[in-house]
Amino acid sequence: MDALDRVVKPKTKRAKRFLEKREPKLSENIKNAMLIKGGNANSTVTQVLRDVEFFSKKSDCSLFMFGSHNKKRPNNLVIGRMYDYHVLDMIELGIEKFVSLKDIKNSKCPEGTKPMLIFAGDDFDVTEDYRRLKSLLIDFFRGPTVSNIRLAGLEYVLHFTALNGKIYFRSYKLLLKKSGCRTPRIELEEMGPSLDLVLRRTHLASDDLYKLSMKMPKALKPKKKKNISHDTFGTTYGRIHMQKQDLSKLQTRKMKGLKKRPAERKAEDEENKSKRIKKN
């Protein structure tokens, strides 16, 4: 049996906790990013990594960004992610234009704030390389998953535009202004960083491996509820099964408008009397 196939048994409690953290979970841990500076990275790439660190936590985990610079591929960024401790996707981007956080003299949002992500451009939905890049950027910048958020917590926007073979990355602080009604008026103020990127090389997982990495465990799939349906507007409809009911015995509310007139009651009595005579 190969050494890699052997079951590793922890010898200490600390090792046991470490291995338990690495085990697959129904609800995975929050994805953090590892930012790596290459030995030949120039000042532009170094500052890009510093600015990206403002939006993501630095840790040894499933997301990574590597910055480097050389004559063949200047101002180079490689962004990628791991699955089952192997590289799933890697996409290489070239920095053509960069404006740092410190160069834009506006107020900033608190570090670690959860952003809103906006993707513009048909390429993000049509081209496979751009679709994977969109998924990778969402993984990289989405932040922790939350069940709800208050309006004041929507503080900044990360905007990605795919146009003419380039990716434009912009960051805006969201300002809530008085509008004279309950819903505030929204204004966007650029706070940086700002990058013009070009797609270079890609190393993408096969379709089968990608689908496997996106597969949801059965325990997390919502159970289908019987006799409940929804229309296009989100309205919920329920179906109730009941035994057949004799409506002639249904007790209705007595109302003056529903009472029979004396003439009607007399005619009905005579009709019932004639029916009894015929039976006899």
Side-chain angles (χ1 to χ4, degrees), residues 45 66-69 73-78 92-95 200:
V45 172
F66 176 78
S68 62
H69 174 78
R73 294 184 181 86
N75 300 328
N76 205 51
L77 286 178
V78 177
E92 188 179 60
L93 302 168
I95 305 169
R200 287 178 177 167

Side-chain angles (χ1 to χ4, degrees), residues 89-105:
D89 292 325
M90 280 196 304
I91 296 179
E92 188 179 60
L93 302 168
I95 305 169
E96 293 194 339
K97 185 179 178 182
F98 170 61
V99 181
S100 176
L101 266 168
K102 63 182 182 180
D103 295 331
I104 299 177
K105 306 300 181 181

Side-chain angles (χ1 to χ4, degrees), residues 62 81-88 209 212-214:
S62 58
R81 56 187 165 186
M82 312 283 287
Y83 171 70
D84 196 20
Y85 305 103
H86 294 84
V87 174
L88 180 68
L209 181 58
L212 180 63
S213 68
M214 300 290 286

Side-chain angles (χ1 to χ4, degrees), residues 17-49:
R17 289 195 300 268
F18 176 77
L19 291 176
E20 286 176 350
K21 287 182 180 179
R22 291 169 64 93
E23 290 177 354
K25 302 178 182 64
L26 289 177
S27 298
E28 292 291 339
N29 299 330
I30 297 172
K31 291 183 178 180
N32 297 323
M34 178 171 57
L35 307 179
I36 308 168
K37 177 185 172 182
N40 55 348
N42 59 5
S43 58
T44 299
V45 172
T46 302
Q47 190 59 47
V48 169
L49 293 175

Side-chain angles (χ1 to χ4, degrees), residues 245-261:
Q245 189 174 8
D246 188 357
L247 299 179
S248 63
K249 298 180 180 179
L250 185 65
Q251 180 65 41
T252 57
R253 186 178 178 183
K254 295 181 179 179
M255 295 177 59
K256 290 183 178 179
L258 296 176
K259 288 184 177 180
K260 295 181 180 180
R261 296 178 181 179

Side-chain angles (χ1 to χ4, degrees), residues 10 50 84 97 100 124 140 162 164 181 190 192 201 224 242:
R50 287 175 182 169
D84 196 20
K97 185 179 178 182
S100 176
F124 282 127
F140 208 90
N164 298 329
C181 60
E190 188 170 5
R201 295 180 297 174
K224 189 176 181 181
M242 299 177 63

Side-chain angles (χ1 to χ4, degrees), residues 112-130:
T113 305
K114 186 176 176 65
M116 292 177 284
L117 304 179
I118 300 176
F119 292 86
D122 294 336
D123 285 338
F124 282 127
D125 299 316
V126 175
T127 310
E128 183 60 27
D129 287 351
Y130 280 85

